[in-house]
Amino acid sequence: MSDKLDKLPEESGPSGGWGSMRGIARVFGDSWPSPDVLRELERQNKPGGLMCSSCAFPKPANYHPFEFCENGAKATLWEMTKSRHTPEFWDDHTVSDLMDWSDHELEKTGRLTAPMRYDRASDRYVEVSWDEAFSEIGSILKDLPKQEVVFYSSGHAGLEASYLWALMARAYGNNNLPQSSNMCHETTSVGLKKVIGSSVGTVLWEDLEETDCYFFFGQNPGTNSPRFLHPLKAAKDRGAKIVTFNPVKEQGLVSFVDPQNIRDMATGRETIISDQYHQLKAGSDIAALTGLCKAVIEEDEKAQAQGRSAIIDWDFLKEHAVNYDGFLTFCRTTPWEKITEECGLSEAELRQAADIYIHAEKVIGVYGMGLTQHAHGATNIGMLVNFLALRGNIGRKGAGCCPVRGHSNVQGQRTVGIAEKAKLIPMDKLRELYGFEPPQEDGYHIVDAAQAMMEGKVSAMFSLGGNLVRALPDSERIEEAWPKQKLTVMISTKLNRSHLYPGEVAYILPCLSRSEKDEQESGNQYVSVEDSFSKIHGSLGKSAPASDKLKSELAITCGIAKAACDPNPKLQWDEWVKDYSVVRDLIEATYPDDFRGFNARMNEPGGFWRGNPAHDRIWKTESGKLEFTTPSKLNALGFDDKPGRFRMITMRSNDQFNTTIYGYSDRFRGIEGTRDVLLMNKIDMADLGLEHGDPVVVHGDMDDGVARRKTGLKVITFELPRGTVGGYYPECNVLVPVGLNDELSKTPGSKGVPVRIEKA
Ligand SMILES: Nc1nc2c(c(=O)[nH]1)N[C@H]1C(S)=C(S)[C@@H](COP(=O)(O)OP(=O)(O)OC[C@H]3O[C@@H](n4cnc5c(=O)[nH]c(N)nc54)[C@H](O)[C@@H]3O)O[C@H]1N2
Ligand SMILES: Nc1nc2c(c(=O)[nH]1)N[C@H]1C(S)=C(S)[C@@H](COP(=O)(O)OP(=O)(O)OC[C@H]3O[C@@H](n4cnc5c(=O)[nH]c(N)nc54)[C@H](O)[C@@H]3O)O[C@H]1N2
Ligand SMILES: [Mo]
């Protein structure tokens, strides 16, 4: 057992504070960044500056002197490393040699510097010229059945490259445009859209400044969007309340020391973030929200009987909502015992939380992967919207629904056409602008693409960023299926596990990162991104590229497109590389309502807003109203409980960005030096005869005929509800069944994985 595990997970300190400074300093030492990094950090998230390549948290108009967080700094340091992965690396290594390297070690080889093609005879990647790469890729694509080619994108590349990426797929002949959000907030895109008519959140920065109450469901700001801690602290300073529902006690939601505040840093003054913290069982939010709503309804009935003013905003319901009668009846008739048994919280606890809700005037409901990554994730979101709607907390100042997005441009990529569903795309506009007939058939969602790949029906996979072999569910089955493809093309900045599973022909095409200069014929180019609040920002890189052989994501997209698509004078791939502002004009021409005045407005402080009807109580749903959801059961899981079966959540640490592992310090949870652990309640451990540090084998328990197994983990005692266990993403992806998805959006159920546990 690792020495580091000798101790139980320690009480961890507050989020922020000196711990965050030490975290940055460690990655600084480890990544050995270029001296330009300090200048880039200073420009981060400011108008005309560099938009963080980590998360999509909004950038305020009134920014701090240092408008970056521990994780934004780590992401920038990591991409600005001075380490270089040159083609000479392969003089000493074969692909097979690297199989037992960790994800951390693979990326630590440094920034990729030249295009490379896999050479099967020597089992190595070898350098090729860009022309050779484009020309071979183009000729293979021309011979493949168009439906068998997939164009994935991880939500990172800017709006300009992303627009052209989608245009390329459609000009080539399909809508196979899956995106990382298919594993993430697709539940929001589909589920939130269904109930409020908007596929994105309704709040703006001003609302964060006004609200007097937050309810957090399954989002972890301390780790995943640390800049959120500043408005949360400000809210606490003005007396607002915060209530959290999360199986794990996440430090960022417990307390925070503001690293931007010299006095707080010197004195260690902590701000307590959550007034109430409810550790519900994984997947039981529907029950908890039913309890909260039931308490609100009961208080409303009491108030009305006593002649006091109503608690429920009946005027809002009558004017703006449908289907609430059925939901109110569901809450009234569901007994408290069923609710409390399902979520593991007591009636008193749920009533206390409801009491805060009832006494707050303006409430924001925040959520993340804890709601979206479940088999009934869309119902989770529907339930949160029901809860907010009961007191009219949507579409007014200081209130609203706030999904927190992941990748820095994940939302924007969808706005400019990266979507597998044909009906979401203004095909007429494409026809008019480019004179080709866009494909009308829906393409692959990433889960469909993964399943098709396992059945041998995908011949080529393009990846604009990302690391699908690691990020997808059922990773072991993906490892088998991926190399059977005829062509794999990865546009990447660093070496990752997906590169170790080359298709018959395989290319790694290295690209510029956002912090680097992107010099083209008309000068250094801006790119742009959309944040979680639907604000668009320009971003300009100023540091020297990691190699003079790198191309921008946009230039690589155009290179592939030109080689693969039929010639068409309206598809001016070469011209577009010269000046990205022309591409922004095309985006504006395709989506005039969202991008009016794009080039002129993109450096407005705080970004320019592309609007959101639900923010103004215009509901673009089927009924034209906010639609209440009545759940069919009290949990969001895709399986039933049974003896010996646990619900596993897959977790992120603050020392990773998805499959990029910066290090092995999960400071907030007090877990140091390893990620090969299974977190478990001590009574559950005792029941299984396990002691802290025992090696365990975790078996998938999905009853779908597929054997899944994760070995090499050690169990550690952790404060979790009974029946809920935790393991790290991506290491535990081998246990996540590819067929266990949200019923509406197909988002994988990564926070509700059925497992059995055995002593090794
Ligand atoms: N440092 C860092 N930042 C990141 C990322 C990263 O990997 N590292 N990833 C980026 C991306 S792509 C994304 S999508 C976001 C993800 O950011 P988040 O949405 O915060 O995602 P997670 O950390 O996966 O899970 C969020 C929380 O859900 C809780 N949870 C699990 N199951 C349940 C449940 O059933 N109910 C409830 N109520 N809670 C539950 C977990 O304990 C966890 O605290 O972060 C982005 N930012
Ligand atoms: N079990 C489980 N599985 C999950 C999740 C979970 O919570 N649990 N979360 C899901 C979520 S929310 C997401 S978003 C997905 C993430 O899935 P992906 O988006 O596919 O994965 P990332 O780890 O973000 O991709 C990392 C790689 O991107 C490349 N990269 C980094 N910067 C750049 C750049 O500037 N340009 C280009 N072209 N490439 C770059 C690097 O080569 C790096 O290795 O994983 C999902 N999978
Ligand atoms: Mo994500």
Side-chain angles (χ1 to χ4, degrees), residues 55 71 184 218-220 223-224 245-248 250 282-283 285 368-370 374 406-407 649 652 656-658 751:
C55 80
N71 287 91
C184 178
Q219 201 269 334
N220 183 9
T223 290
N224 297 321
F245 287 81
N246 192 318
V248 182
E250 303 286 19
D285 300 82
M369 299 298 100
H374 278 295
H407 275 294
I649 61 181
R652 299 170 149 77
Q656 74 183 92
F657 189 87
N658 297 337
K751 299 288 188 268

PDB file of all heavy atoms in Angstrom, residues 55 71 184 218-220 223-224 245-248 250 282-283 285 368-370 374 406-407 649 652 656-658 751, ligand 1:
ATOM      1  N   CYS A  55     -11.902  26.000 -18.143  1.00  0.00           N
ATOM      2  CA  CYS A  55     -13.360  25.833 -18.145  1.00  0.00           C
ATOM      3  C   CYS A  55     -14.071  27.021 -18.790  1.00  0.00           C
ATOM      4  O   CYS A  55     -13.469  27.985 -19.210  1.00  0.00           O
ATOM      5  CB  CYS A  55     -13.879  25.593 -16.732  1.00  0.00           C
ATOM      6  SG  CYS A  55     -14.060  27.073 -15.733  1.00  0.00           S
ATOM      7  N   ASN A  71      -6.884  26.442 -11.456  1.00  0.00           N
ATOM      8  CA  ASN A  71      -6.930  25.493 -12.568  1.00  0.00           C
ATOM      9  C   ASN A  71      -6.699  26.135 -13.916  1.00  0.00           C
ATOM     10  O   ASN A  71      -6.107  25.524 -14.805  1.00  0.00           O
ATOM     11  CB  ASN A  71      -8.226  24.698 -12.530  1.00  0.00           C
ATOM     12  CG  ASN A  71      -8.161  23.708 -11.394  1.00  0.00           C
ATOM     13  OD1 ASN A  71      -8.568  24.029 -10.280  1.00  0.00           O
ATOM     14  ND2 ASN A  71      -7.567  22.566 -11.649  1.00  0.00           N
ATOM     15  N   CYS A 184     -21.628  14.980 -21.444  1.00  0.00           N
ATOM     16  CA  CYS A 184     -21.467  16.038 -20.442  1.00  0.00           C
ATOM     17  C   CYS A 184     -22.786  16.771 -20.230  1.00  0.00           C
ATOM     18  O   CYS A 184     -23.630  16.310 -19.471  1.00  0.00           O
ATOM     19  CB  CYS A 184     -20.351  16.934 -20.991  1.00  0.00           C
ATOM     20  SG  CYS A 184     -19.906  18.356 -20.063  1.00  0.00           S
ATOM     21  N   GLY A 218     -24.888  18.815  -7.452  1.00  0.00           N
ATOM     22  CA  GLY A 218     -23.944  18.068  -8.288  1.00  0.00           C
ATOM     23  C   GLY A 218     -23.072  18.942  -9.167  1.00  0.00           C
ATOM     24  O   GLY A 218     -22.856  18.616 -10.335  1.00  0.00           O
ATOM     25  N   GLN A 219     -22.582  20.053  -8.642  1.00  0.00           N
ATOM     26  CA  GLN A 219     -21.555  20.823  -9.343  1.00  0.00           C
ATOM     27  C   GLN A 219     -20.517  21.190  -8.306  1.00  0.00           C
ATOM     28  O   GLN A 219     -20.854  21.521  -7.159  1.00  0.00           O
ATOM     29  CB  GLN A 219     -22.136  22.079  -9.999  1.00  0.00           C
ATOM     30  CG  GLN A 219     -21.278  22.645 -11.148  1.00  0.00           C
ATOM     31  CD  GLN A 219     -20.262  23.684 -10.675  1.00  0.00           C
ATOM     32  OE1 GLN A 219     -20.456  24.343  -9.659  1.00  0.00           O
ATOM     33  NE2 GLN A 219     -19.180  23.824 -11.412  1.00  0.00           N
ATOM     34  N   ASN A 220     -19.261  21.125  -8.705  1.00  0.00           N
ATOM     35  CA  ASN A 220     -18.170  21.274  -7.745  1.00  0.00           C
ATOM     36  C   ASN A 220     -17.289  22.457  -8.129  1.00  0.00           C
ATOM     37  O   ASN A 220     -16.278  22.298  -8.812  1.00  0.00           O
ATOM     38  CB  ASN A 220     -17.362  19.965  -7.746  1.00  0.00           C
ATOM     39  CG  ASN A 220     -16.242  19.981  -6.722  1.00  0.00           C
ATOM     40  OD1 ASN A 220     -16.158  20.885  -5.888  1.00  0.00           O
ATOM     41  ND2 ASN A 220     -15.380  18.992  -6.797  1.00  0.00           N
ATOM     42  N   THR A 223     -13.217  22.772  -7.538  1.00  0.00           N
ATOM     43  CA  THR A 223     -12.356  22.026  -8.427  1.00  0.00           C
ATOM     44  C   THR A 223     -12.541  22.437  -9.893  1.00  0.00           C
ATOM     45  O   THR A 223     -11.575  22.618 -10.621  1.00  0.00           O
ATOM     46  CB  THR A 223     -12.681  20.508  -8.284  1.00  0.00           C
ATOM     47  OG1 THR A 223     -12.236  20.093  -7.003  1.00  0.00           O
ATOM     48  CG2 THR A 223     -12.002  19.687  -9.344  1.00  0.00           C
ATOM     49  N   ASN A 224     -13.781  22.599 -10.313  1.00  0.00           N
ATOM     50  CA  ASN A 224     -14.056  22.646 -11.759  1.00  0.00           C
ATOM     51  C   ASN A 224     -14.332  24.025 -12.328  1.00  0.00           C
ATOM     52  O   ASN A 224     -14.281  24.212 -13.540  1.00  0.00           O
ATOM     53  CB  ASN A 224     -15.220  21.717 -12.084  1.00  0.00           C
ATOM     54  CG  ASN A 224     -14.876  20.282 -11.754  1.00  0.00           C
ATOM     55  OD1 ASN A 224     -13.757  19.857 -11.978  1.00  0.00           O
ATOM     56  ND2 ASN A 224     -15.821  19.549 -11.208  1.00  0.00           N
ATOM     57  N   PHE A 245     -26.518  20.033  -2.308  1.00  0.00           N
ATOM     58  CA  PHE A 245     -26.871  18.617  -2.337  1.00  0.00           C
ATOM     59  C   PHE A 245     -25.805  17.879  -3.131  1.00  0.00           C
ATOM     60  O   PHE A 245     -25.655  18.109  -4.338  1.00  0.00           O
ATOM     61  CB  PHE A 245     -28.243  18.409  -2.993  1.00  0.00           C
ATOM     62  CG  PHE A 245     -29.374  18.858  -2.111  1.00  0.00           C
ATOM     63  CD1 PHE A 245     -29.723  20.207  -2.041  1.00  0.00           C
ATOM     64  CD2 PHE A 245     -30.055  17.948  -1.329  1.00  0.00           C
ATOM     65  CE1 PHE A 245     -30.748  20.628  -1.208  1.00  0.00           C
ATOM     66  CE2 PHE A 245     -31.090  18.363  -0.486  1.00  0.00           C
ATOM     67  CZ  PHE A 245     -31.428  19.700  -0.422  1.00  0.00           C
ATOM     68  N   ASN A 246     -25.048  17.037  -2.455  1.00  0.00           N
ATOM     69  CA  ASN A 246     -23.939  16.346  -3.109  1.00  0.00           C
ATOM     70  C   ASN A 246     -23.521  15.177  -2.213  1.00  0.00           C
ATOM     71  O   ASN A 246     -23.352  15.375  -1.008  1.00  0.00           O
ATOM     72  CB  ASN A 246     -22.770  17.349  -3.280  1.00  0.00           C
ATOM     73  CG  ASN A 246     -21.678  16.834  -4.194  1.00  0.00           C
ATOM     74  OD1 ASN A 246     -21.297  15.664  -4.125  1.00  0.00           O
ATOM     75  ND2 ASN A 246     -21.163  17.704  -5.049  1.00  0.00           N
ATOM     76  N   PRO A 247     -23.359  13.974  -2.775  1.00  0.00           N
ATOM     77  CA  PRO A 247     -22.963  12.840  -1.929  1.00  0.00           C
ATOM     78  C   PRO A 247     -21.590  13.053  -1.280  1.00  0.00           C
ATOM     79  O   PRO A 247     -21.299  12.483  -0.231  1.00  0.00           O
ATOM     80  CB  PRO A 247     -22.891  11.654  -2.895  1.00  0.00           C
ATOM     81  CG  PRO A 247     -23.471  12.111  -4.180  1.00  0.00           C
ATOM     82  CD  PRO A 247     -23.525  13.606  -4.182  1.00  0.00           C
ATOM     83  N   VAL A 248     -20.753  13.860  -1.936  1.00  0.00           N
ATOM     84  CA  VAL A 248     -19.382  14.075  -1.463  1.00  0.00           C
ATOM     85  C   VAL A 248     -19.296  15.456  -0.822  1.00  0.00           C
ATOM     86  O   VAL A 248     -19.821  16.423  -1.369  1.00  0.00           O
ATOM     87  CB  VAL A 248     -18.383  14.018  -2.643  1.00  0.00           C
ATOM     88  CG1 VAL A 248     -16.948  14.185  -2.152  1.00  0.00           C
ATOM     89  CG2 VAL A 248     -18.544  12.729  -3.432  1.00  0.00           C
ATOM     90  N   GLU A 250     -17.601  18.406  -0.772  1.00  0.00           N
ATOM     91  CA  GLU A 250     -16.571  19.025  -1.607  1.00  0.00           C
ATOM     92  C   GLU A 250     -16.090  20.309  -0.939  1.00  0.00           C
ATOM     93  O   GLU A 250     -16.881  21.186  -0.603  1.00  0.00           O
ATOM     94  CB  GLU A 250     -17.113  19.339  -3.003  1.00  0.00           C
ATOM     95  CG  GLU A 250     -17.672  18.134  -3.764  1.00  0.00           C
ATOM     96  CD  GLU A 250     -16.593  17.188  -4.286  1.00  0.00           C
ATOM     97  OE1 GLU A 250     -15.445  17.231  -3.790  1.00  0.00           O
ATOM     98  OE2 GLU A 250     -16.906  16.383  -5.194  1.00  0.00           O
ATOM     99  N   ALA A 282     -26.017   8.878  -4.179  1.00  0.00           N
ATOM    100  CA  ALA A 282     -25.844   9.150  -5.613  1.00  0.00           C
ATOM    101  C   ALA A 282     -27.128   8.790  -6.353  1.00  0.00           C
ATOM    102  O   ALA A 282     -27.756   7.766  -6.070  1.00  0.00           O
ATOM    103  CB  ALA A 282     -24.682   8.317  -6.163  1.00  0.00           C
ATOM    104  N   GLY A 283     -27.513   9.665  -7.264  1.00  0.00           N
ATOM    105  CA  GLY A 283     -28.670   9.368  -8.124  1.00  0.00           C
ATOM    106  C   GLY A 283     -30.016   9.605  -7.477  1.00  0.00           C
ATOM    107  O   GLY A 283     -31.042   9.253  -8.059  1.00  0.00           O
ATOM    108  N   ASP A 285     -31.415  12.615  -6.485  1.00  0.00           N
ATOM    109  CA  ASP A 285     -31.863  14.019  -6.477  1.00  0.00           C
ATOM    110  C   ASP A 285     -33.355  14.164  -6.732  1.00  0.00           C
ATOM    111  O   ASP A 285     -33.983  15.104  -6.243  1.00  0.00           O
ATOM    112  CB  ASP A 285     -31.074  14.828  -7.515  1.00  0.00           C
ATOM    113  CG  ASP A 285     -29.599  14.808  -7.215  1.00  0.00           C
ATOM    114  OD1 ASP A 285     -28.928  13.809  -7.581  1.00  0.00           O
ATOM    115  OD2 ASP A 285     -29.112  15.739  -6.573  1.00  0.00           O
ATOM    116  N   GLY A 368     -24.430  20.532 -12.270  1.00  0.00           N
ATOM    117  CA  GLY A 368     -23.371  20.029 -13.149  1.00  0.00           C
ATOM    118  C   GLY A 368     -23.555  18.541 -13.364  1.00  0.00           C
ATOM    119  O   GLY A 368     -24.679  18.019 -13.377  1.00  0.00           O
ATOM    120  N   MET A 369     -22.426  17.859 -13.468  1.00  0.00           N
ATOM    121  CA  MET A 369     -22.443  16.454 -13.863  1.00  0.00           C
ATOM    122  C   MET A 369     -23.205  15.553 -12.883  1.00  0.00           C
ATOM    123  O   MET A 369     -23.636  14.470 -13.241  1.00  0.00           O
ATOM    124  CB  MET A 369     -21.010  15.923 -14.008  1.00  0.00           C
ATOM    125  CG  MET A 369     -20.156  16.625 -15.058  1.00  0.00           C
ATOM    126  SD  MET A 369     -20.813  16.456 -16.719  1.00  0.00           S
ATOM    127  CE  MET A 369     -21.618  18.032 -16.937  1.00  0.00           C
ATOM    128  N   GLY A 370     -23.346  16.017 -11.620  1.00  0.00           N
ATOM    129  CA  GLY A 370     -24.090  15.209 -10.647  1.00  0.00           C
ATOM    130  C   GLY A 370     -25.550  15.039 -11.049  1.00  0.00           C
ATOM    131  O   GLY A 370     -26.197  14.072 -10.649  1.00  0.00           O
ATOM    132  N   HIS A 374     -26.695  10.805 -15.570  1.00  0.00           N
ATOM    133  CA  HIS A 374     -27.522   9.738 -14.999  1.00  0.00           C
ATOM    134  C   HIS A 374     -28.500   9.250 -16.059  1.00  0.00           C
ATOM    135  O   HIS A 374     -28.866   9.999 -16.979  1.00  0.00           O
ATOM    136  CB  HIS A 374     -28.314  10.268 -13.803  1.00  0.00           C
ATOM    137  CG  HIS A 374     -27.529  10.295 -12.525  1.00  0.00           C
ATOM    138  ND1 HIS A 374     -27.063   9.153 -11.909  1.00  0.00           N
ATOM    139  CD2 HIS A 374     -27.128  11.330 -11.746  1.00  0.00           C
ATOM    140  CE1 HIS A 374     -26.412   9.481 -10.802  1.00  0.00           C
ATOM    141  NE2 HIS A 374     -26.421  10.804 -10.683  1.00  0.00           N
ATOM    142  N   GLY A 406     -18.454  22.806 -19.162  1.00  0.00           N
ATOM    143  CA  GLY A 406     -17.111  22.299 -18.966  1.00  0.00           C
ATOM    144  C   GLY A 406     -16.072  22.988 -19.809  1.00  0.00           C
ATOM    145  O   GLY A 406     -15.536  24.042 -19.451  1.00  0.00           O
ATOM    146  N   HIS A 407     -15.786  22.403 -20.982  1.00  0.00           N
ATOM    147  CA  HIS A 407     -14.754  22.942 -21.861  1.00  0.00           C
ATOM    148  C   HIS A 407     -15.023  24.395 -22.219  1.00  0.00           C
ATOM    149  O   HIS A 407     -16.167  24.808 -22.364  1.00  0.00           O
ATOM    150  CB  HIS A 407     -14.745  22.137 -23.159  1.00  0.00           C
ATOM    151  CG  HIS A 407     -13.912  20.895 -23.097  1.00  0.00           C
ATOM    152  ND1 HIS A 407     -12.558  20.950 -22.953  1.00  0.00           N
ATOM    153  CD2 HIS A 407     -14.234  19.592 -23.186  1.00  0.00           C
ATOM    154  CE1 HIS A 407     -12.075  19.712 -22.960  1.00  0.00           C
ATOM    155  NE2 HIS A 407     -13.075  18.859 -23.088  1.00  0.00           N
ATOM    156  N   ILE A 649     -19.902   6.651  -8.321  1.00  0.00           N
ATOM    157  CA  ILE A 649     -19.766   7.915  -9.058  1.00  0.00           C
ATOM    158  C   ILE A 649     -18.318   8.011  -9.537  1.00  0.00           C
ATOM    159  O   ILE A 649     -17.399   7.597  -8.847  1.00  0.00           O
ATOM    160  CB  ILE A 649     -20.159   9.137  -8.205  1.00  0.00           C
ATOM    161  CG1 ILE A 649     -19.286   9.275  -6.967  1.00  0.00           C
ATOM    162  CG2 ILE A 649     -21.598   9.064  -7.783  1.00  0.00           C
ATOM    163  CD1 ILE A 649     -19.654  10.459  -6.098  1.00  0.00           C
ATOM    164  N   ARG A 652     -13.738  13.795 -10.518  1.00  0.00           N
ATOM    165  CA  ARG A 652     -12.577  14.577 -10.958  1.00  0.00           C
ATOM    166  C   ARG A 652     -11.843  15.098  -9.726  1.00  0.00           C
ATOM    167  O   ARG A 652     -12.481  15.433  -8.737  1.00  0.00           O
ATOM    168  CB  ARG A 652     -13.032  15.809 -11.728  1.00  0.00           C
ATOM    169  CG  ARG A 652     -13.786  15.540 -12.947  1.00  0.00           C
ATOM    170  CD  ARG A 652     -14.390  16.849 -13.465  1.00  0.00           C
ATOM    171  NE  ARG A 652     -14.483  16.782 -14.914  1.00  0.00           N
ATOM    172  CZ  ARG A 652     -15.423  16.104 -15.548  1.00  0.00           C
ATOM    173  NH1 ARG A 652     -16.366  15.453 -14.892  1.00  0.00           N
ATOM    174  NH2 ARG A 652     -15.429  16.066 -16.882  1.00  0.00           N
ATOM    175  N   GLN A 656      -6.471  17.633 -12.283  1.00  0.00           N
ATOM    176  CA  GLN A 656      -6.667  17.078 -13.620  1.00  0.00           C
ATOM    177  C   GLN A 656      -7.555  18.034 -14.381  1.00  0.00           C
ATOM    178  O   GLN A 656      -8.288  18.832 -13.782  1.00  0.00           O
ATOM    179  CB  GLN A 656      -7.345  15.698 -13.563  1.00  0.00           C
ATOM    180  CG  GLN A 656      -8.837  15.716 -13.219  1.00  0.00           C
ATOM    181  CD  GLN A 656      -9.466  14.334 -13.106  1.00  0.00           C
ATOM    182  OE1 GLN A 656      -9.519  13.752 -12.017  1.00  0.00           O
ATOM    183  NE2 GLN A 656      -9.950  13.806 -14.211  1.00  0.00           N
ATOM    184  N   PHE A 657      -7.486  17.985 -15.713  1.00  0.00           N
ATOM    185  CA  PHE A 657      -8.546  18.546 -16.530  1.00  0.00           C
ATOM    186  C   PHE A 657      -8.994  17.410 -17.428  1.00  0.00           C
ATOM    187  O   PHE A 657      -8.317  17.044 -18.386  1.00  0.00           O
ATOM    188  CB  PHE A 657      -8.097  19.761 -17.355  1.00  0.00           C
ATOM    189  CG  PHE A 657      -9.273  20.444 -18.006  1.00  0.00           C
ATOM    190  CD1 PHE A 657      -9.987  21.425 -17.331  1.00  0.00           C
ATOM    191  CD2 PHE A 657      -9.709  20.067 -19.263  1.00  0.00           C
ATOM    192  CE1 PHE A 657     -11.105  22.019 -17.912  1.00  0.00           C
ATOM    193  CE2 PHE A 657     -10.827  20.657 -19.848  1.00  0.00           C
ATOM    194  CZ  PHE A 657     -11.520  21.640 -19.163  1.00  0.00           C
ATOM    195  N   ASN A 658     -10.089  16.811 -17.103  1.00  0.00           N
ATOM    196  CA  ASN A 658     -10.572  15.616 -17.805  1.00  0.00           C
ATOM    197  C   ASN A 658      -9.472  14.564 -17.861  1.00  0.00           C
ATOM    198  O   ASN A 658      -8.931  14.190 -16.834  1.00  0.00           O
ATOM    199  CB  ASN A 658     -11.128  15.975 -19.191  1.00  0.00           C
ATOM    200  CG  ASN A 658     -12.326  16.892 -19.086  1.00  0.00           C
ATOM    201  OD1 ASN A 658     -12.982  16.924 -18.062  1.00  0.00           O
ATOM    202  ND2 ASN A 658     -12.616  17.625 -20.131  1.00  0.00           N
ATOM    203  N   LYS A 751     -22.293   8.983 -13.302  1.00  0.00           N
ATOM    204  CA  LYS A 751     -22.408   9.225 -11.858  1.00  0.00           C
ATOM    205  C   LYS A 751     -23.339   8.204 -11.207  1.00  0.00           C
ATOM    206  O   LYS A 751     -23.678   8.354 -10.027  1.00  0.00           O
ATOM    207  CB  LYS A 751     -22.934  10.642 -11.595  1.00  0.00           C
ATOM    208  CG  LYS A 751     -22.035  11.747 -12.134  1.00  0.00           C
ATOM    209  CD  LYS A 751     -20.750  11.901 -11.343  1.00  0.00           C
ATOM    210  CE  LYS A 751     -19.960  13.118 -11.770  1.00  0.00           C
ATOM    211  NZ  LYS A 751     -18.959  12.837 -12.822  1.00  0.00           N
TER     212      LYS A 751
HETATM  213  N1  LIG B   1     -10.017  21.174 -12.638  1.00  0.00           N
HETATM  214  C1  LIG B   1     -10.891  20.752 -13.534  1.00  0.00           C
HETATM  215  N2  LIG B   1     -11.811  21.595 -14.027  1.00  0.00           N
HETATM  216  C2  LIG B   1     -12.720  21.143 -14.924  1.00  0.00           C
HETATM  217  C3  LIG B   1     -12.689  19.814 -15.427  1.00  0.00           C
HETATM  218  C4  LIG B   1     -11.703  18.946 -14.865  1.00  0.00           C
HETATM  219  O1  LIG B   1     -11.641  17.738 -15.185  1.00  0.00           O
HETATM  220  N3  LIG B   1     -10.823  19.445 -13.937  1.00  0.00           N
HETATM  221  N4  LIG B   1     -13.550  19.395 -16.398  1.00  0.00           N
HETATM  222  C5  LIG B   1     -14.328  20.401 -17.113  1.00  0.00           C
HETATM  223  C6  LIG B   1     -15.517  19.772 -17.709  1.00  0.00           C
HETATM  224  S1  LIG B   1     -15.415  19.163 -19.303  1.00  0.00           S
HETATM  225  C7  LIG B   1     -16.700  19.743 -17.064  1.00  0.00           C
HETATM  226  S2  LIG B   1     -18.087  19.089 -17.792  1.00  0.00           S
HETATM  227  C8  LIG B   1     -16.887  20.372 -15.760  1.00  0.00           C
HETATM  228  C9  LIG B   1     -17.437  19.338 -14.767  1.00  0.00           C
HETATM  229  O2  LIG B   1     -17.675  19.931 -13.539  1.00  0.00           O
HETATM  230  P1  LIG B   1     -18.787  19.333 -12.543  1.00  0.00           P
HETATM  231  O3  LIG B   1     -20.124  19.474 -13.171  1.00  0.00           O
HETATM  232  O4  LIG B   1     -18.557  19.955 -11.229  1.00  0.00           O
HETATM  233  O5  LIG B   1     -18.441  17.731 -12.599  1.00  0.00           O
HETATM  234  P2  LIG B   1     -17.918  16.568 -11.649  1.00  0.00           P
HETATM  235  O6  LIG B   1     -16.786  16.987 -10.798  1.00  0.00           O
HETATM  236  O7  LIG B   1     -17.716  15.387 -12.496  1.00  0.00           O
HETATM  237  O8  LIG B   1     -19.164  16.256 -10.701  1.00  0.00           O
HETATM  238  C10 LIG B   1     -19.778  17.269  -9.970  1.00  0.00           C
HETATM  239  C11 LIG B   1     -20.244  16.872  -8.611  1.00  0.00           C
HETATM  240  O9  LIG B   1     -21.333  15.971  -8.687  1.00  0.00           O
HETATM  241  C12 LIG B   1     -21.336  15.210  -7.509  1.00  0.00           C
HETATM  242  N5  LIG B   1     -22.256  14.093  -7.701  1.00  0.00           N
HETATM  243  C13 LIG B   1     -22.004  12.863  -8.176  1.00  0.00           C
HETATM  244  N6  LIG B   1     -23.133  12.149  -8.257  1.00  0.00           N
HETATM  245  C14 LIG B   1     -24.141  12.944  -7.822  1.00  0.00           C
HETATM  246  C15 LIG B   1     -25.550  12.793  -7.687  1.00  0.00           C
HETATM  247  O10 LIG B   1     -26.130  11.750  -7.993  1.00  0.00           O
HETATM  248  N7  LIG B   1     -26.242  13.864  -7.216  1.00  0.00           N
HETATM  249  C16 LIG B   1     -25.653  15.032  -6.853  1.00  0.00           C
HETATM  250  N8  LIG B   1     -26.420  16.018  -6.398  1.00  0.00           N
HETATM  251  N9  LIG B   1     -24.329  15.199  -6.972  1.00  0.00           N
HETATM  252  C17 LIG B   1     -23.584  14.183  -7.472  1.00  0.00           C
HETATM  253  C18 LIG B   1     -19.880  14.871  -7.329  1.00  0.00           C
HETATM  254  O11 LIG B   1     -19.600  14.504  -6.000  1.00  0.00           O
HETATM  255  C19 LIG B   1     -19.198  16.164  -7.742  1.00  0.00           C
HETATM  256  O12 LIG B   1     -18.944  16.983  -6.640  1.00  0.00           O
HETATM  257  O13 LIG B   1     -15.675  20.862 -15.206  1.00  0.00           O
HETATM  258  C20 LIG B   1     -14.791  21.487 -16.146  1.00  0.00           C
HETATM  259  N10 LIG B   1     -13.683  21.996 -15.373  1.00  0.00           N
END
